[in-house]
Amino acid sequence: TRCERQTLRRLPSTGWILFTIKTHVDPLSCLADQPEAAAGLAAAVRDLPAGNRDYKNVESYEAAMLSYLDRVAYPFYAGDAIC
């Protein structure tokens, strides 16, 4: 999974604005014990608009990714999620 943190900061000496991006990337396996998160990601992938699907080249990895996410999310779908 990929997450971005974007910030705007004003530099005190010049007053200029600094825009930064910090990207975090984790393997899907980090969701192995989080069925609710896996279900949410699977739903988000299924709901991507066509333009985003093309931009992210989802078709090339969608079947494998959704198969994995659905297996991990099974307890959530089945109502057996551990709270």
Side-chain angles (χ1 to χ4, degrees), residues 28 41-48 53 56-70:
L28 284 177
L41 181 56
V45 170
R46 288 183 172 103
D47 291 343
L48 276 174
R53 297 174 73 75
K56 295 175 183 286
N57 193 26
V58 170
E59 187 176 326
S60 67
Y61 56 84
E62 180 177 25
M65 180 174 62
L66 289 176
S67 175
Y68 175 77
L69 291 172
D70 287 341

Side-chain angles (χ1 to χ4, degrees), residues 2-83:
R2 180 177 184 272
C3 178
E4 268 185 17
R5 176 177 163 80
Q6 300 178 358
T7 64
L8 292 172
R9 297 175 188 215
R10 185 172 301 277
L11 299 176
S13 59
T14 62
W16 294 1
I17 303 287
L18 176 66
F19 173 68
T20 63
I21 300 174
K22 173 68 176 170
T23 304
H24 300 273
V25 180
D26 291 315
L28 284 177
S29 61
C30 74
L31 298 176
D33 60 351
Q34 300 178 53
E36 187 172 0
L41 181 56
V45 170
R46 288 183 172 103
D47 291 343
L48 276 174
N52 290 68
R53 297 174 73 75
D54 292 341
Y55 173 74
K56 295 175 183 286
N57 193 26
V58 170
E59 187 176 326
S60 67
Y61 56 84
E62 180 177 25
M65 180 174 62
L66 289 176
S67 175
Y68 175 77
L69 291 172
D70 287 341
R71 280 195 315 274
V72 170
Y74 180 77
F76 177 75
Y77 292 140
D80 298 332
I82 300 169
C83 299

